[in-house]
Amino acid sequence: MARTVHRLRLGLADLLQTPYPTIPFDLPPGAESVEVRLAYDTDAAVIDLGCEGPAGWRGWSGGARDRLVIGPTAATPGYLPGELETGQWSVQLGLYRLPADPIEVTVTVISPAQSRVEPEPAPLPPREAAPRGSTRRLPAEPGLTWYAGDLHAHSTHSDGEQSLAELAALAVTAGLDFLAVTDHNTVSHHGLLPAVGGALGITLLPGQEVTTARGHANVFGDVGWIDFRRPAADWIADAQDRGGLVSINHPLEGEWAWQHRLAALPQALELWHITWFRDLRSTEPWGLWPQWRPDAVLLGGSDYHNPDHGYLPGTPTTWVAAESPDPAAIMAAIAAGRTAISHPGPDSAVLLRVGDELVALGAEGAVLTDVDGRAQLVTSPRARIPLDRAGRPPYRLTDPERRLLALSP
């Protein structure tokens, strides 16, 4: 067994010099597996962990783990199993928070690995399952069905607490037709999604939350790993060139607000993030909208991580009018902008764009407002408003207390 210990002294000055220091190590021919352990004072700092091999990126666990194992057939969630190439590898650190006075950071590389990788839990049907959103048979254009989903969720492949199977089961419990799994800076979950989704009867979309200190963005589609260490304009262009759909996440959310300056904004925007539920009267997203591209595809995301937050995936629910629940059909519908967003639940008010009309369901007594603030009362439980009378998009429904109920592009 080979064991190498790297002892570093890292402080705020190091973070300011480079947030992504690497620690190289070599693997000889025939290496069975490798284990990396990271140790530091977690009360004083937050340091992310990742790994890269000679053939490319092998995974990332951020600050969620202090060790990783990679072998030919199994790896720690967040990391890709496979052949251990001979040559120079590197431990990738992410310096998220460090004190001014340097602290000791120890990185230990062990080959073969001493720790065991636990297998992914097998999918089990949830104890309870709500009717799928598509069974509401919401009014749609010919050949299309409105499917209910969530476009932002995390599993144990990054900093979520549920395995892929457990996360998918929660989405079924919530009555969702589809769920995008968008783990941070890794694609280790992509190859596992079809089997898990098939076992539970839910469409699982491959995604990656490209996570940087100056903002986060989701890349949807099985387009391979996107290098978050590059300038944002470069990795966004790379994702789009590969056929990925890019959405800026929670653009106003605390220290994770979007700060990257871009000459051209990407195609989609997570306008309704779970944090809007903190104050449904907030108009911050509408204040942002005039600064954004007017043709952006509007998405919602729960950013689900664990049950302690007190909500299920699908909070809020993103509705997509697609030809089928097949992943390609859902992705095509999103790219075409056929979306709407609402509260979760089978009786939630919804606002849908159908042909040349807006259809408001379950919203009698609510107020329909366009982007310019022109408002009108919804006077029936199934109201149809011609677009030429609705004003300019996007549109929102609010209750008499001015709380957001639903929105439509």
Side-chain angles (χ1 to χ4, degrees):
M1 181 185 72
R3 183 187 185 100
T4 306
V5 179
H6 304 264
R7 290 185 172 86
L8 312 172
R9 297 284 296 177
L10 296 175
L12 183 58
D14 300 287
L15 185 159
L16 297 177
Q17 181 177 2
T18 174
Y20 302 122
T22 59
I23 301 167
F25 64 93
D26 291 318
L27 285 182
E32 298 176 12
S33 59
V34 66
E35 179 175 353
V36 176
R37 300 178 182 177
L38 171 66
Y40 63 95
D41 182 356
T42 56
D43 292 330
V46 177
I47 300 176
D48 296 334
L49 178 64
C51 187
E52 193 164 17
W57 191 249
R58 294 303 286 259
W60 179 259
S61 46
R65 302 183 188 278
D66 60 7
R67 66 184 59 197
L68 65 92
V69 173
I70 299 175
T73 60
T76 300
Y79 296 85
L80 291 168
E83 177 188 355
L84 275 72
E85 312 99 79
T86 299
Q88 189 173 88
W89 289 58
S90 62
V91 177
Q92 177 69 70
L93 299 182
L95 306 183
Y96 182 72
R97 179 168 58 85
L98 282 168
D101 294 330
I103 61 170
E104 182 174 288
V105 178
T106 302
V107 176
T108 304
V109 180
I110 306 167
S111 182
Q114 291 184 316
S115 300
R116 181 173 179 270
V117 176
E118 295 296 329
E120 287 266 348
L124 294 174
R127 293 180 182 177
E128 298 180 5
R132 302 303 174 92
S134 54
T135 63
R136 288 184 68 176
R137 299 298 179 189
L138 298 174
E141 295 187 43
L144 301 179
T145 299
W146 286 100
Y147 295 97
D150 188 340
L151 289 163
H152 191 165
H154 298 276
S155 76
T156 50
H157 283 252
S158 59
D159 56 352
E161 290 189 7
Q162 272 71 48
S163 68
L164 291 173
E166 292 166 336
L167 177 63
L170 285 177
V172 172
T173 297
L176 299 185
D177 297 290
F178 69 89
L179 177 74
V181 184
T182 54
D183 282 311
H184 298 280
N185 294 339
T186 186
V187 295
S188 61
H189 54 296
H190 284 194
L192 305 173
L193 296 179
V196 174
L200 292 171
I202 184 171
T203 298
L204 297 179
L205 301 177
Q208 173 187 343
E209 184 168 19
V210 184
T211 305
T212 79
R214 292 179 58 80
H216 303 179
N218 277 340
V219 175
F220 301 107
D222 193 6
V223 297
W225 177 69
I226 303 300
D227 192 344
F228 62 97
R229 300 167 297 182
R230 300 164 61 196
D234 292 350
W235 56 253
I236 289 173
D238 185 25
Q240 293 172 331
D241 288 345
R242 298 189 210 174
L245 189 148
V246 181
S247 171
I248 302 302
N249 288 351
H250 43 68
L252 298 171
E253 171 53 11
E255 65 176 302
W256 301 291
W258 186 258
Q259 301 175 65
H260 294 287
R261 285 186 171 272
L262 299 172
L265 291 165
Q267 185 176 2
L269 173 67
E270 186 184 63
L271 188 67
W272 192 342
H273 182 255
I274 179 62
T275 49
W276 205 346
F277 283 94
R278 293 175 189 159
D279 180 8
L280 288 166
R281 297 182 182 87
S282 173
T283 57
E284 284 183 347
W286 302 120
L288 169 73
W289 183 252
Q291 312 307 319
W292 218 258
R293 55 184 286 181
D295 63 341
V297 176
L298 301 187
L299 305 178
S302 71
D303 204 352
Y304 182 87
H305 282 76
N306 63 70
D308 293 339
H309 292 310
Y311 60 85
L312 288 172
T315 312
T317 295
T318 300
W319 296 89
V320 175
E323 294 179 353
S324 79
D326 181 79
I330 296 289
M331 287 297 302
I334 294 171
R338 297 195 299 268
T339 65
I341 314 173
S342 75
H343 286 247
D347 301 318
S348 62
V350 292
L351 182 64
L352 311 171
R353 190 165 181 166
V354 182
D356 58 0
E357 292 182 321
L358 283 179
V359 180
L361 299 177
E364 186 174 13
V367 176
L368 171 68
T369 307
D370 79 343
V371 72
D372 297 314
R374 290 174 290 194
Q376 55 188 289
L377 186 65
V378 178
T379 58
S380 71
R382 191 181 182 91
R384 292 183 175 272
I385 302 100
L387 289 176
D388 58 8
R389 287 177 37 214
R392 289 200 309 133
Y395 312 96
R396 63 190 187 270
L397 285 176
T398 53
D399 69 11
E401 300 298 320
R402 305 179 74 88
R403 293 172 297 209
L404 183 68
L405 298 174
L407 62 84
S408 176

